[in-house]
Amino acid sequence: MQGKKSFSRVLGTGGYLPGKPVTNQDLVNRLRELDVETSDEWIRERSGITSRYFCGKMSTRDMGCIAAKQAIEAASIDVTSIDLIIVATTTPDLVFPSVACHIERDLGLERCTSFDIQAVCSGFVYALTIADLFLKTGTKNNALVIGAERLSTILNWRDRSTCVLFGDGAGAVILGKNSVPGIIASDISSSGKFCDILRATGTPKNGVLEGTGYAEMQGQEVFRKAVESLSESGMKLLNACDLDVESIDWFIPHQANIRIINKVAEKLNVPDSKVVKCVHKHANTSAASIPLALNEGITSGQIHFGDRLLLQGVGGGLTWGSILMDL
Ligand SMILES: CC(C)(COP(=O)(O)OP(=O)(O)OC[C@H]1O[C@@H](n2cnc3c(N)ncnc32)[C@H](O)[C@@H]1OP(=O)(O)O)[C@@H](O)C(=O)NCCC(=O)NCCS
């Protein structure tokens, strides 16, 4: 007997930014105390960033849980119907157990399939793709997919070429099994050849951190590879689905740098009016950036039910990916 085909659909979103915004000028003042020179003008011109949020004592799990609760409420589902939790993060609180298992406990759940995935700034695109596969195969019914980061804990405040570009936060979606897509298709890729252009070395060994524990980046190389991989991935996915770029209502790229966002949009021929941009507000929050942007687009009333979205992420690895979906 042939079963009914399953798809997955976003049922609700949530987002959380900790504390108060730290403006470029706030950061300039703090860095001056360390003899690190930067300026509001340099940060804005090179990245489009005007502020970011830092989590202080909050954990990745705390922020992820707040975003998750919002998504559950927006989806109007009973929390006990969640049977899969995937957290995309590069800054977990512990070596183990996973952030996902902690969030399972914090939500009062007892029997899920919960795990973290690590694909840096592409983490959310990877996690959503994995959740979609679980739902499509009928193995799971309601997935909680979270991107959560406390990048401030791995920034070297003496390296001005990285520390001004990142921030903390969390975003979440509930993805539910559905008889119509939802997620139309996705493309996730990596090229380990570029492992060294964006990385944070550091692993606990015999109780001591081996490596620097700080994010390091070859900025210009990352910029070039990001633009190249995202424009290729977007075209590939649209062609595979036999869809024109005109059918996209909203382009929701990883919020790393306004110049990367604008260049990719230009290469994909997406008009500026269809691009969701919030990097200015919270800087690069890695795996949290896409669900934060999606949540912002929905809660601000820009994005509506039924809209067609192109989501894109790129990050260390190098990893990158695109998802086409109908909301
Ligand atoms: C990081 C990035 C903004 C730097 O911009 P850039 O135009 O490439 O700048 P450069 O690295 O060539 O540096 C130019 C100058 O600015 C200086 N500079 C670097 N950081 C600075 C800062 N925060 N404030 C002031 N000056 C700074 C450099 O020291 C250099 O000075 P010099 O010319 O005297 O040597 C840019 O490469 C970039 O956006 N890369 C991608 C970053 C990204 O999004 N990564 C995450 C992807 S997931």
Side-chain angles (χ1 to χ4, degrees), residues 55-75:
C55 66
K57 289 197 164 63
M58 278 184 99
S59 61
T60 299
R61 150 197 174 191
D62 291 336
M63 291 187 286
C65 204
I66 295 171
K69 285 179 180 166
Q70 281 179 20
I72 293 164
E73 195 180 330

PDB file of all heavy atoms in Angstrom, residues 55-75:
ATOM      1  N   CYS A  55      25.520  38.403  25.429  1.00  0.00           N
ATOM      2  CA  CYS A  55      24.684  37.626  26.355  1.00  0.00           C
ATOM      3  C   CYS A  55      25.107  37.729  27.808  1.00  0.00           C
ATOM      4  O   CYS A  55      24.354  37.310  28.700  1.00  0.00           O
ATOM      5  CB  CYS A  55      24.645  36.171  25.918  1.00  0.00           C
ATOM      6  SG  CYS A  55      26.230  35.331  26.048  1.00  0.00           S
ATOM      7  N   GLY A  56      26.296  38.273  28.091  1.00  0.00           N
ATOM      8  CA  GLY A  56      26.733  38.341  29.492  1.00  0.00           C
ATOM      9  C   GLY A  56      26.772  36.951  30.104  1.00  0.00           C
ATOM     10  O   GLY A  56      27.424  36.053  29.583  1.00  0.00           O
ATOM     11  N   LYS A  57      26.020  36.765  31.172  1.00  0.00           N
ATOM     12  CA  LYS A  57      26.054  35.473  31.866  1.00  0.00           C
ATOM     13  C   LYS A  57      25.062  34.468  31.298  1.00  0.00           C
ATOM     14  O   LYS A  57      25.015  33.313  31.732  1.00  0.00           O
ATOM     15  CB  LYS A  57      25.758  35.690  33.355  1.00  0.00           C
ATOM     16  CG  LYS A  57      26.891  36.380  34.100  1.00  0.00           C
ATOM     17  CD  LYS A  57      26.714  36.189  35.603  1.00  0.00           C
ATOM     18  CE  LYS A  57      27.965  36.492  36.385  1.00  0.00           C
ATOM     19  NZ  LYS A  57      28.433  37.873  36.310  1.00  0.00           N
ATOM     20  N   MET A  58      24.246  34.895  30.340  1.00  0.00           N
ATOM     21  CA  MET A  58      23.250  33.953  29.784  1.00  0.00           C
ATOM     22  C   MET A  58      23.943  32.868  28.967  1.00  0.00           C
ATOM     23  O   MET A  58      24.944  33.113  28.307  1.00  0.00           O
ATOM     24  CB  MET A  58      22.279  34.684  28.863  1.00  0.00           C
ATOM     25  CG  MET A  58      21.153  35.382  29.580  1.00  0.00           C
ATOM     26  SD  MET A  58      20.039  36.078  28.389  1.00  0.00           S
ATOM     27  CE  MET A  58      18.776  34.829  28.366  1.00  0.00           C
ATOM     28  N   SER A  59      23.352  31.683  28.991  1.00  0.00           N
ATOM     29  CA  SER A  59      23.926  30.581  28.225  1.00  0.00           C
ATOM     30  C   SER A  59      23.276  30.497  26.845  1.00  0.00           C
ATOM     31  O   SER A  59      22.222  31.120  26.598  1.00  0.00           O
ATOM     32  CB  SER A  59      23.712  29.264  28.977  1.00  0.00           C
ATOM     33  OG  SER A  59      22.331  29.042  29.123  1.00  0.00           O
ATOM     34  N   THR A  60      23.876  29.702  25.984  1.00  0.00           N
ATOM     35  CA  THR A  60      23.295  29.439  24.664  1.00  0.00           C
ATOM     36  C   THR A  60      21.925  28.790  24.854  1.00  0.00           C
ATOM     37  O   THR A  60      20.951  29.126  24.172  1.00  0.00           O
ATOM     38  CB  THR A  60      24.236  28.495  23.875  1.00  0.00           C
ATOM     39  OG1 THR A  60      25.494  29.149  23.732  1.00  0.00           O
ATOM     40  CG2 THR A  60      23.682  28.163  22.500  1.00  0.00           C
ATOM     41  N   ARG A  61      21.872  27.882  25.800  1.00  0.00           N
ATOM     42  CA  ARG A  61      20.625  27.165  26.079  1.00  0.00           C
ATOM     43  C   ARG A  61      19.537  28.114  26.589  1.00  0.00           C
ATOM     44  O   ARG A  61      18.378  28.009  26.183  1.00  0.00           O
ATOM     45  CB  ARG A  61      20.975  26.091  27.102  1.00  0.00           C
ATOM     46  CG  ARG A  61      19.944  25.684  28.049  1.00  0.00           C
ATOM     47  CD  ARG A  61      20.649  24.960  29.184  1.00  0.00           C
ATOM     48  NE  ARG A  61      19.756  24.621  30.245  1.00  0.00           N
ATOM     49  CZ  ARG A  61      20.166  24.179  31.426  1.00  0.00           C
ATOM     50  NH1 ARG A  61      21.451  24.032  31.664  1.00  0.00           N
ATOM     51  NH2 ARG A  61      19.295  23.874  32.341  1.00  0.00           N
ATOM     52  N   ASP A  62      19.895  29.087  27.455  1.00  0.00           N
ATOM     53  CA  ASP A  62      18.897  30.059  27.946  1.00  0.00           C
ATOM     54  C   ASP A  62      18.283  30.816  26.770  1.00  0.00           C
ATOM     55  O   ASP A  62      17.063  30.957  26.677  1.00  0.00           O
ATOM     56  CB  ASP A  62      19.557  31.127  28.848  1.00  0.00           C
ATOM     57  CG  ASP A  62      20.033  30.570  30.169  1.00  0.00           C
ATOM     58  OD1 ASP A  62      19.501  29.536  30.607  1.00  0.00           O
ATOM     59  OD2 ASP A  62      20.954  31.184  30.766  1.00  0.00           O
ATOM     60  N   MET A  63      19.143  31.301  25.889  1.00  0.00           N
ATOM     61  CA  MET A  63      18.640  32.113  24.766  1.00  0.00           C
ATOM     62  C   MET A  63      17.826  31.245  23.814  1.00  0.00           C
ATOM     63  O   MET A  63      16.755  31.644  23.345  1.00  0.00           O
ATOM     64  CB  MET A  63      19.822  32.750  24.016  1.00  0.00           C
ATOM     65  CG  MET A  63      20.539  33.810  24.816  1.00  0.00           C
ATOM     66  SD  MET A  63      21.778  34.680  23.847  1.00  0.00           S
ATOM     67  CE  MET A  63      23.063  33.452  23.728  1.00  0.00           C
ATOM     68  N   GLY A  64      18.323  30.032  23.549  1.00  0.00           N
ATOM     69  CA  GLY A  64      17.606  29.117  22.648  1.00  0.00           C
ATOM     70  C   GLY A  64      16.240  28.764  23.193  1.00  0.00           C
ATOM     71  O   GLY A  64      15.264  28.661  22.443  1.00  0.00           O
ATOM     72  N   CYS A  65      16.162  28.610  24.508  1.00  0.00           N
ATOM     73  CA  CYS A  65      14.901  28.210  25.121  1.00  0.00           C
ATOM     74  C   CYS A  65      13.863  29.331  25.029  1.00  0.00           C
ATOM     75  O   CYS A  65      12.683  29.069  24.778  1.00  0.00           O
ATOM     76  CB  CYS A  65      15.161  27.813  26.581  1.00  0.00           C
ATOM     77  SG  CYS A  65      13.909  26.713  27.197  1.00  0.00           S
ATOM     78  N   ILE A  66      14.310  30.577  25.194  1.00  0.00           N
ATOM     79  CA  ILE A  66      13.371  31.707  25.093  1.00  0.00           C
ATOM     80  C   ILE A  66      12.821  31.782  23.659  1.00  0.00           C
ATOM     81  O   ILE A  66      11.612  31.916  23.448  1.00  0.00           O
ATOM     82  CB  ILE A  66      14.057  33.036  25.494  1.00  0.00           C
ATOM     83  CG1 ILE A  66      14.436  32.991  26.978  1.00  0.00           C
ATOM     84  CG2 ILE A  66      13.136  34.217  25.201  1.00  0.00           C
ATOM     85  CD1 ILE A  66      15.319  34.161  27.436  1.00  0.00           C
ATOM     86  N   ALA A  67      13.717  31.670  22.680  1.00  0.00           N
ATOM     87  CA  ALA A  67      13.267  31.706  21.273  1.00  0.00           C
ATOM     88  C   ALA A  67      12.337  30.530  20.988  1.00  0.00           C
ATOM     89  O   ALA A  67      11.328  30.666  20.289  1.00  0.00           O
ATOM     90  CB  ALA A  67      14.480  31.679  20.343  1.00  0.00           C
ATOM     91  N   ALA A  68      12.664  29.368  21.551  1.00  0.00           N
ATOM     92  CA  ALA A  68      11.852  28.168  21.328  1.00  0.00           C
ATOM     93  C   ALA A  68      10.441  28.347  21.871  1.00  0.00           C
ATOM     94  O   ALA A  68       9.451  28.011  21.205  1.00  0.00           O
ATOM     95  CB  ALA A  68      12.519  26.969  22.003  1.00  0.00           C
ATOM     96  N   LYS A  69      10.333  28.914  23.071  1.00  0.00           N
ATOM     97  CA  LYS A  69       9.003  29.108  23.678  1.00  0.00           C
ATOM     98  C   LYS A  69       8.150  30.042  22.828  1.00  0.00           C
ATOM     99  O   LYS A  69       6.958  29.828  22.664  1.00  0.00           O
ATOM    100  CB  LYS A  69       9.140  29.629  25.113  1.00  0.00           C
ATOM    101  CG  LYS A  69       9.573  28.518  26.078  1.00  0.00           C
ATOM    102  CD  LYS A  69       9.725  29.013  27.487  1.00  0.00           C
ATOM    103  CE  LYS A  69      10.158  27.873  28.401  1.00  0.00           C
ATOM    104  NZ  LYS A  69      10.637  28.323  29.699  1.00  0.00           N
ATOM    105  N   GLN A  70       8.788  31.071  22.273  1.00  0.00           N
ATOM    106  CA  GLN A  70       8.039  31.986  21.375  1.00  0.00           C
ATOM    107  C   GLN A  70       7.547  31.239  20.144  1.00  0.00           C
ATOM    108  O   GLN A  70       6.414  31.420  19.697  1.00  0.00           O
ATOM    109  CB  GLN A  70       8.950  33.107  20.896  1.00  0.00           C
ATOM    110  CG  GLN A  70       9.165  34.212  21.891  1.00  0.00           C
ATOM    111  CD  GLN A  70      10.124  35.271  21.323  1.00  0.00           C
ATOM    112  OE1 GLN A  70      10.317  35.373  20.102  1.00  0.00           O
ATOM    113  NE2 GLN A  70      10.728  36.035  22.202  1.00  0.00           N
ATOM    114  N   ALA A  71       8.419  30.407  19.576  1.00  0.00           N
ATOM    115  CA  ALA A  71       8.047  29.673  18.350  1.00  0.00           C
ATOM    116  C   ALA A  71       6.905  28.702  18.639  1.00  0.00           C
ATOM    117  O   ALA A  71       5.988  28.541  17.818  1.00  0.00           O
ATOM    118  CB  ALA A  71       9.261  28.929  17.797  1.00  0.00           C
ATOM    119  N   ILE A  72       6.960  28.058  19.809  1.00  0.00           N
ATOM    120  CA  ILE A  72       5.908  27.094  20.190  1.00  0.00           C
ATOM    121  C   ILE A  72       4.577  27.834  20.334  1.00  0.00           C
ATOM    122  O   ILE A  72       3.537  27.377  19.841  1.00  0.00           O
ATOM    123  CB  ILE A  72       6.293  26.366  21.509  1.00  0.00           C
ATOM    124  CG1 ILE A  72       7.515  25.469  21.277  1.00  0.00           C
ATOM    125  CG2 ILE A  72       5.111  25.558  22.058  1.00  0.00           C
ATOM    126  CD1 ILE A  72       8.225  25.005  22.543  1.00  0.00           C
ATOM    127  N   GLU A  73       4.627  29.014  20.949  1.00  0.00           N
ATOM    128  CA  GLU A  73       3.396  29.787  21.117  1.00  0.00           C
ATOM    129  C   GLU A  73       2.854  30.243  19.759  1.00  0.00           C
ATOM    130  O   GLU A  73       1.665  30.134  19.486  1.00  0.00           O
ATOM    131  CB  GLU A  73       3.679  30.994  22.008  1.00  0.00           C
ATOM    132  CG  GLU A  73       2.397  31.616  22.524  1.00  0.00           C
ATOM    133  CD  GLU A  73       2.663  32.820  23.417  1.00  0.00           C
ATOM    134  OE1 GLU A  73       3.712  32.850  24.087  1.00  0.00           O
ATOM    135  OE2 GLU A  73       1.803  33.718  23.408  1.00  0.00           O
ATOM    136  N   ALA A  74       3.770  30.729  18.904  1.00  0.00           N
ATOM    137  CA  ALA A  74       3.334  31.199  17.580  1.00  0.00           C
ATOM    138  C   ALA A  74       2.750  30.057  16.758  1.00  0.00           C
ATOM    139  O   ALA A  74       1.844  30.247  15.943  1.00  0.00           O
ATOM    140  CB  ALA A  74       4.515  31.826  16.844  1.00  0.00           C
ATOM    141  N   ALA A  75       3.261  28.841  16.962  1.00  0.00           N
ATOM    142  CA  ALA A  75       2.784  27.682  16.189  1.00  0.00           C
ATOM    143  C   ALA A  75       1.474  27.127  16.745  1.00  0.00           C
ATOM    144  O   ALA A  75       0.810  26.316  16.090  1.00  0.00           O
ATOM    145  CB  ALA A  75       3.844  26.586  16.202  1.00  0.00           C
TER     146      ALA A  75
END
